[in-house]
């Protein structure tokens, strides 16, 4: 019997220190061979998303120089700066002055890729204007990461995860007690923007190896929202807006957190019918399924009229025993569940330590720093963290005559020798094809992370085949938004004839992606060793719950179980109940990291001619996706905590109600004069604040009183005109008619055969030369089975025999329906 996570022996403090010392990673320990060795990256970004993208490139071997303005990156004061900027060298340059512009132009001439985070409006007329930079440096991959779209709609235009979440619909989609926006303490969409931008940048480098030319790649803040919230953007024009006032545990009584008899919380992850039957039997409430209100139809469990009473029955059952006993019982029936932990314990968890996700290094400004390690492991090109984040201008004028061991050929101050300028027209890649056009991918994924990785690879132009058993992926209808852009093949891999057909696909494949439980692929005879025998050049990427090695490596993993175990839920809940994040944080980040891994491994293969295996885990990603909050060093301020329907961290930095909605205001005491001048503090502070309130609280009460008398959009207009960063709290449905979102194809409208319409996420990035042009649709079960197998070299007669034997099925195109939300 597998021991539940919370029943693992907890070491004494001294023993824990010995384990950490023995297993921790330091910059002296790790390998230095990376998939991007020799690639030069100029990081001109500030904040979180851009530096994080460049950090991931540095982790995998790129020589990254962080070029900061004279005042430094504003995020230098953040504890997470030590994480987001590790592995880089640092210089100071002012691109708005003539000398700085010349220096940057020389650096761009020697760079392979640059990362810029300022909005387009701020870059116009400078050496960093994207079209001008691309024209001056045709071999450069220019990754543009503005905080919203091309320009930000809020005053100041600086990166803000709070304003992004408000404007893009994320905050209003978070489940809550009341129908209101929730201020998320984690910048998950910004983190996702960073991961996805790194993946898109490497995809463009990969395409450059064929065409010889770079291009501008735009991955904006809203694209980060698409990565995190694709499931929520599956919308039907005939459906009313979603109701999110289901409580902080979400709408699904089988997929939520419960408190046990000992006051300890666990998460029950019975998402699919197999697990639901097991859970109801173990809890002794299987009579619920026979109730006439359910009638054996498990989809009825999440209907609004049934959620309450079903959840109450389950809650009463959990209240009868302690958490550890329930976890033992659920483990025995193979139903996924896990304990809710504390955020501050996560980097010391034995599983994190065992998989190398706990990293220590000596930072020049912070001293010894503990931070998340590298969440993506490539077995032939593991890369490594080569140095801590630099001091401001640390490598200016150092003139070390080399690159500090990073594979470049210029000085550490950014004076790389120029790259060869490509001549002639780019090699044609096919209009609307995407940067990964020509690469073939087999996606074995189920539920969410695996299929979503395939969808994102298809968005980048790869030819992706979804391989599923004849009965189909159990999540294919509810999760159709994660399966778009792939062709559908059903194949019974338990039968030797099915495996032989699969081998035909593998011989032609470049990448195989899966998210099976550990050991499943080997039992089916299609593990990496078997794949490599068929095709030595194949790249195989896996996502598991807990990674390879460690006490939990054989456990199944689900996004919310890792949300709970890693402390995300308790941190967002603060001193109230734990909060289930509506965003499937770990799953969506895993998908983006799998795409990054595929692009990195293919980049290495193009240079070295060899395939390799790679993996990531939900456990490691649960560290990365709260990286800034987990970083530890002496003197760091406390990481933020949420609360009941959390509205913000401060009196002037929060959501405020208007006549017809909510506005997210990001003000501070320095904005008081502007607020007064704009007439937004017209009410007398003493008349609206509680007796004894602080000056800031009185001012906030006056602002709240003023905004309560305005309509939402008028309030935003007045705040913006006064120079106060603010954004309307919008619903995802509002993006469907937003002119800027439509212009950037943030959403796509699709028609069903009966003439009705539904919407999905649209373009996830923009490439100036190799933009994907197709609208991605989900395949029907077995819709492309015959054509895929014939392309792979099977005869029509062989396909007929496989169909006759029930090893392959053929089906019709899918007609997606938007189902009741499961989270």
């Amino acid at each position: 019997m597998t021991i539940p996570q919370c029943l693992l022996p907890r070491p004494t403090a001294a023993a824990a220190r010995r384990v950490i010392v023995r297993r921790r990673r330091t910059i002296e320990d790790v390998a230095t061979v990376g998939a991007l060795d020799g690639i030069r990256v100029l990081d001109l970004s500030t904040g979180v998303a851009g530096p994080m993208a460049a950090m991931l490139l540095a982790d995998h071997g790129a020589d990254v120089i962080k070029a900061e303005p004279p005042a430094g990156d504003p995020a230098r004061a953040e504890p997470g700066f030590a994480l987001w900027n590790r592995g880089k060298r640092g210089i100071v340059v002012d691109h708005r002055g003539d000398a700085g512009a010349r220096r940057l132009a020389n650096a761009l001439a020697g760079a392979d890729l640059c990362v810029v985070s300022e909005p387009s409006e701020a870059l116009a007329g400078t050496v960093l204007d994207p079209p001008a930079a691309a024209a001056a440096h045709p071999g450069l991959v220019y990754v543009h990461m503005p905080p919203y779209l091309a320009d930000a709609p809020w005053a100041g235009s600086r990166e803000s995860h709070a304003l992004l979440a408000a404007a893009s619909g994320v905050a209003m989609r978070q489940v809550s007690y009341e129908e209101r926006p929730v201020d998320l303490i984690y910048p998950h969409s910004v983190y996702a923007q960073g991961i996805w931008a790194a993946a898109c940048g490497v995809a463009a480098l990969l395409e450059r190896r064929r065409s010889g030319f770079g291009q501008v790649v735009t991955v904006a803040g809203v694209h980060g929202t698409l990565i995190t919230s694709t499931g929520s953007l599956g919308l039907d024009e005939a459906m009313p807006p979603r109701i999110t006032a289901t409580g902080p545990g979400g709408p699904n009584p089988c997929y939520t957190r419960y408190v046990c008899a000992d006051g300890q919380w666990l998460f029950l992850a019975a998402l699919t019918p197999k697990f639901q039957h097991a859970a109801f039997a173990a809890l002794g409430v299987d009579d619920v399924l026979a109730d006439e209100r359910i009638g054996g139809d498990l989809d009825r469990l999440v209907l609004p009229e049934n959620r309450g009473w079903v959840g109450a029955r389950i809650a009463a059952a959990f209240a009868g025993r302690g958490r550890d006993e329930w976890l033992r019982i659920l483990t025995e029936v193979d139903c996924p569940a896990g304990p809710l932990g504390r955020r501050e314990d996560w980097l010391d968890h034995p599983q994190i330590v065992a998989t190398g996700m706990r990293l220590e290094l000596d930072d020049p400004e912070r001293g010894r720093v503990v931070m998340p390690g590298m969440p993506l492991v490539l077995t032939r090109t593991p890369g490594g963290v080569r140095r801590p984040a630099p001091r401001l201008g640390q490598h200016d004028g150092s003139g070390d005559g080399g690159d500090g061991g990073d594979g470049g050929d210029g000085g550490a101050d950014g004076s790389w020798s120029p790259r060869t300028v490509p001549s002639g027209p780019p090699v044609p890649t096919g209009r609307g094809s995407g940067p990964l056009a020509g690469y073939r991918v087999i996606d074995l994924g189920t539920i969410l992370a695996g299929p979503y990785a395939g969808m994102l690879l298809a968005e980048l132009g790869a030819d992706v085949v979804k391989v599923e058993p004849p009965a189909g992926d159990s999540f294919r209808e509810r999760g159709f938004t994660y399966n778009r852009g792939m062709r559908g093949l059903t194949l019974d891999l338990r039968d030797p004839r099915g495996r032989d057909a699969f081998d035909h696909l593998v011989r032609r494949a470049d990448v195989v992606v899966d998210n099976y439980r550990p050991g499943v692929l080997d039992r089916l005879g299609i593990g990496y060793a078997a794949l490599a025998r068929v095709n030595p050049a194949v790249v195989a990427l896996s996502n598991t719950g807990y990674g390879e090695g460690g006490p939990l490596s054989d456990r199944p993993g689900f996004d919310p179980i890792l949300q709970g175990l890693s402390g995300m839920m308790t941190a967002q809940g603060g001193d109230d109940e734990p909060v289930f994040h509506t965003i499937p944080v770990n799953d969506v980040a895993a998908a983006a990291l799998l795409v990054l891994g595929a692009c990195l491994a293919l980049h290495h293969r193009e240079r070295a001619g060899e395939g390799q295996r790679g993996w990531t885990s939900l456990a490691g990603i649960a560290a990365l996706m709260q990286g800034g909050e987990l970083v530890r060093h002496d003197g760091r301020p406390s990481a933020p905590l949420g609360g009941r329907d959390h509205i913000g961290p401060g009196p002037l930095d929060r959501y405020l109600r208007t006549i017809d909605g909510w506005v997210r205001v990001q003000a501070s005491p320095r904005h008081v004069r502007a607020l007064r001048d704009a007439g937004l503090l017209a009410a007398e502070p003493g008349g609206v604040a509680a007796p004894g309130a602080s000056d800031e609280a009185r001012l906030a009460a006056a602002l709240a009183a003023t905004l309560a008398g305005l309509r939402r959009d008028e309030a935003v207009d007045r705040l913006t005109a006064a120079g106060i960063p603010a954004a309307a709290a919008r619903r995802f449905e509002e993006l469907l008619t937003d002119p800027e979102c439509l212009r950037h194809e943030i959403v796509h409208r699709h028609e069903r055969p009966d003439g009705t319409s539904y919407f999905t996420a649209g373009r996830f990035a923009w490439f100036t030369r190799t933009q994907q042009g197709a609208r991605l649709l989900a395949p029907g079960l077995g819709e492309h089975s015959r054509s895929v197998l014939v392309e792979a070299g099977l005869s029509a007669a062989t396909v007929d025999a496989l169909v006759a034997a029930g090893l392959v099925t053929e089906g019709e195109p899918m007609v997606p329906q938007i189902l009741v939300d499961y989270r």
Side-chain angles (χ1 to χ4, degrees):
M1 181 186 72
T2 304
I3 300 175
Q5 296 97 314
C6 67
L7 298 185
L8 289 167
R10 296 187 65 84
T12 64
R17 284 195 294 271
R18 287 196 297 272
V19 170
I20 290 168
V21 168
R22 186 170 65 249
R23 299 303 304 271
R24 72 188 179 197
R25 286 184 119 184
T26 68
I27 58 175
E28 292 81 18
D29 296 332
V30 295
T32 57
V33 177
L36 297 180
D37 282 354
I39 293 295
R40 305 164 178 169
V41 175
L42 186 62
D43 180 12
L44 294 147
S45 65
T46 59
V48 178
M52 184 170 175
M55 174 207 80
L56 292 168
L57 302 181
D59 282 355
H60 288 277
D63 176 18
V64 181
I65 293 178
K66 181 177 180 66
E68 298 180 72
D73 182 344
R76 273 194 168 272
E78 299 293 327
F81 183 91
L83 167 66
W84 308 318
N85 293 281
R86 70 189 185 194
K88 306 174 187 178
R89 295 179 287 151
I91 64 174
V92 171
V93 60
D94 185 358
H95 71 267
R96 300 187 185 283
D98 291 343
R102 287 193 298 271
R103 187 180 180 195
L104 277 187
N106 290 334
L108 291 171
D112 298 292
L113 183 148
C114 72
V115 181
V116 179
S117 58
E118 290 185 83
S120 297
E121 185 177 45
L123 297 171
T126 75
V127 69
L128 295 178
D129 179 58
H137 310 285
L140 178 69
V141 172
Y142 185 122
V143 179
H144 189 207
M145 300 180 63
Y148 184 70
L149 286 170
D151 295 300
W154 51 82
S157 299
R158 286 178 57 174
E159 178 183 87
S160 167
H161 80 89
L163 298 179
L164 174 64
S168 64
V170 171
M172 284 297 296
R173 179 64 183 87
Q174 174 60 42
V175 292
S176 56
Y177 289 103
E178 301 178 32
E179 194 74 14
R180 62 191 295 177
V182 174
D183 200 60
L184 301 171
I185 64 171
Y186 292 108
H188 285 145
S189 293
V190 173
Y191 287 157
Q193 181 190 4
I195 299 169
W196 179 234
C200 291
V202 180
L205 288 173
L206 194 56
E207 189 278 335
R208 190 184 70 166
R209 294 190 63 83
R210 291 177 291 169
S211 70
F213 282 77
Q215 57 187 311
V216 178
V217 181
T218 300
V219 179
V222 175
H223 294 128
T225 296
L226 295 192
I227 292 292
T228 58
S229 302
T230 285
S232 294
L233 280 163
L235 298 167
D236 194 309
E237 64 179 1
M239 292 179 67
R242 290 183 170 97
I243 301 299
T244 58
T246 59
N252 191 338
C254 301
Y255 205 62
T256 188
R257 74 286 177 283
Y258 289 98
V259 65
C260 301
D262 54 3
Q264 300 298 308
W265 291 83
L266 60 73
F267 194 95
L268 175 67
L271 180 60
T272 62
K274 169 188 172 183
F275 297 136
Q276 288 163 355
H277 283 291
F280 277 64
L283 290 164
V285 296
D286 42 354
D287 60 297
V288 166
L289 303 179
D291 188 285
E292 63 181 7
R293 291 168 288 185
I294 304 299
D297 183 356
L298 298 178
D299 286 338
R300 297 186 63 80
L301 293 168
V302 298
L303 294 180
E305 60 267 29
N306 292 327
R307 296 169 184 161
W309 71 267
V310 172
R313 287 291 308 278
I314 297 175
F318 276 119
R321 301 173 188 254
R323 182 177 71 181
D324 288 355
E325 186 175 1
W326 275 123
L327 288 171
R328 177 184 59 78
I329 292 169
L330 292 168
T331 298
E332 287 176 345
V333 299
D334 198 32
C335 179
L340 270 58
R342 301 190 316 157
R343 176 173 61 192
E344 52 267 36
D345 296 335
W346 188 230
L347 286 182
D348 297 329
H349 192 285
Q351 189 63 29
I352 291 296
V353 175
T355 53
M357 273 303 295
R358 185 187 195 278
L359 175 67
E360 293 187 25
L361 50 78
D362 289 316
D363 185 271
E365 296 179 341
R366 295 166 177 81
R368 197 68 172 174
V369 178
V370 181
M371 64 176 64
M374 292 174 56
L376 174 64
V377 177
L378 297 177
T379 53
R380 291 189 186 273
T381 55
V385 180
R386 304 181 182 187
R387 55 170 59 89
R391 294 189 304 273
L392 181 62
Q394 180 176 343
H395 299 93
D396 268 322
S398 63
D400 65 2
D403 68 329
D406 294 289
D409 57 358
D413 62 355
S415 56
W416 289 309
S417 60
R419 290 299 197 198
T420 302
V421 178
S423 60
V427 176
T429 56
R431 184 173 178 81
S433 55
L436 296 186
Y439 289 102
R440 298 188 181 99
V441 178
I442 300 171
D443 193 316
L444 293 164
T446 62
I447 309 293
L448 207 163
Y452 193 22
M455 196 220 83
L456 293 174
L457 287 163
E459 169 68 9
L460 295 180
D463 176 11
V464 186
V465 174
K466 178 180 175 68
V467 177
E468 52 192 324
D473 179 348
S474 61
F475 202 61
R476 67 174 353 267
E477 291 189 8
R478 184 173 294 281
F480 82 91
T481 55
Y482 301 110
N483 287 274
R484 295 179 298 120
M486 298 185 276
R487 294 189 288 165
L489 163 67
T490 59
L491 195 58
D492 190 342
L493 296 172
R494 298 170 299 179
D495 189 284
R497 292 167 291 177
R499 288 196 299 275
D500 180 70
F502 183 73
D503 285 348
H504 279 72
L505 269 68
V506 173
R507 290 188 185 98
R508 292 162 38 91
D510 299 292
V511 178
V512 178
V513 174
D514 81 273
N515 64 329
Y516 278 107
R517 289 169 67 162
V520 170
L521 294 184
D522 286 329
R523 289 197 294 273
L524 290 172
I526 56 172
Y528 176 69
L531 298 178
R533 283 194 295 271
V534 174
N535 179 0
V538 76
V539 169
L541 277 301
S542 298
N543 177 67
T544 62
Y546 297 93
E548 298 186 5
L552 303 180
S553 60
D554 63 344
R555 295 281 296 166
F558 283 75
D559 162 69
I561 290 180
L562 271 302
Q563 280 192 34
L565 184 60
S566 68
M568 285 186 195
M569 291 187 183
T570 52
Q572 182 65 46
D575 58 4
D576 200 75
E577 290 188 9
V579 173
F580 178 20
H581 290 267
T582 303
I583 291 172
V585 179
N586 303 300
D587 277 332
V588 296
L593 271 171
L594 287 170
V595 176
L596 174 60
C599 293
L600 287 167
L602 289 172
H603 189 272
H604 171 72
R605 192 185 74 173
E606 293 294 331
R607 299 197 293 188
E610 60 182 6
Q612 62 179 307
R613 183 175 68 89
W615 58 269
T616 188
S617 72
L618 300 182
I621 290 163
L624 180 68
M625 293 299 279
Q626 47 185 342
E629 294 72 28
L630 288 176
V631 166
R632 296 203 309 252
H633 58 79
D634 287 345
R636 83 148 283 168
S638 298
L641 293 173
R644 183 183 178 96
D645 285 0
H646 186 53
I647 59 172
L652 292 170
D653 187 6
R654 55 179 288 190
Y655 281 96
L656 293 171
R657 194 187 294 271
T658 65
I659 291 173
D660 57 347
W662 293 82
V663 171
R664 181 59 168 89
V665 180
Q666 205 159 50
S668 67
R670 67 184 177 87
H671 292 111
V672 170
R673 180 172 181 176
L675 288 167
R676 283 200 177 107
D677 291 347
L680 293 168
L681 296 178
E684 285 293 327
V688 292
S694 67
D695 289 344
E696 190 174 352
R698 289 175 177 275
L699 292 167
L703 177 61
T706 303
L707 297 189
L710 302 176
R711 294 199 171 275
R712 185 193 70 178
D713 293 347
E714 180 189 359
V716 172
D717 288 344
R718 289 183 60 179
L719 287 161
T720 302
I724 312 300
R730 303 198 295 179
R731 295 181 181 273
F732 282 126
E733 289 83 354
E734 293 181 70
L735 304 187
L736 307 182
T737 55
D738 179 272
E740 281 296 290
C741 289
L742 295 175
R743 185 168 71 87
H744 289 89
E745 292 191 51
I746 297 304
V747 291
H748 279 163
R749 182 177 184 271
H750 310 271
E751 282 199 7
R752 302 186 181 96
D754 63 3
T756 60
S757 297
Y758 68 96
F759 297 86
T760 64
R763 295 276 79 97
F764 284 72
W766 278 98
F767 296 79
T768 52
R769 282 199 310 102
T770 59
Q771 178 58 42
Q772 167 70 277
R775 294 198 170 196
L776 307 186
L777 302 175
L781 183 62
E783 178 182 351
H784 307 96
S785 291
R786 181 171 294 273
S787 60
V788 167
L789 292 173
V790 170
E791 283 179 18
L794 277 70
S795 67
T798 300
V799 176
D800 288 339
L802 291 170
V803 172
L807 304 178
V808 171
T809 58
E810 297 183 271
E812 298 298 319
M814 184 180 192
V815 180
Q817 302 297 326
I818 309 300
L819 303 179
V820 176
D821 292 317
Y822 77 99
R823 61 188 301 161

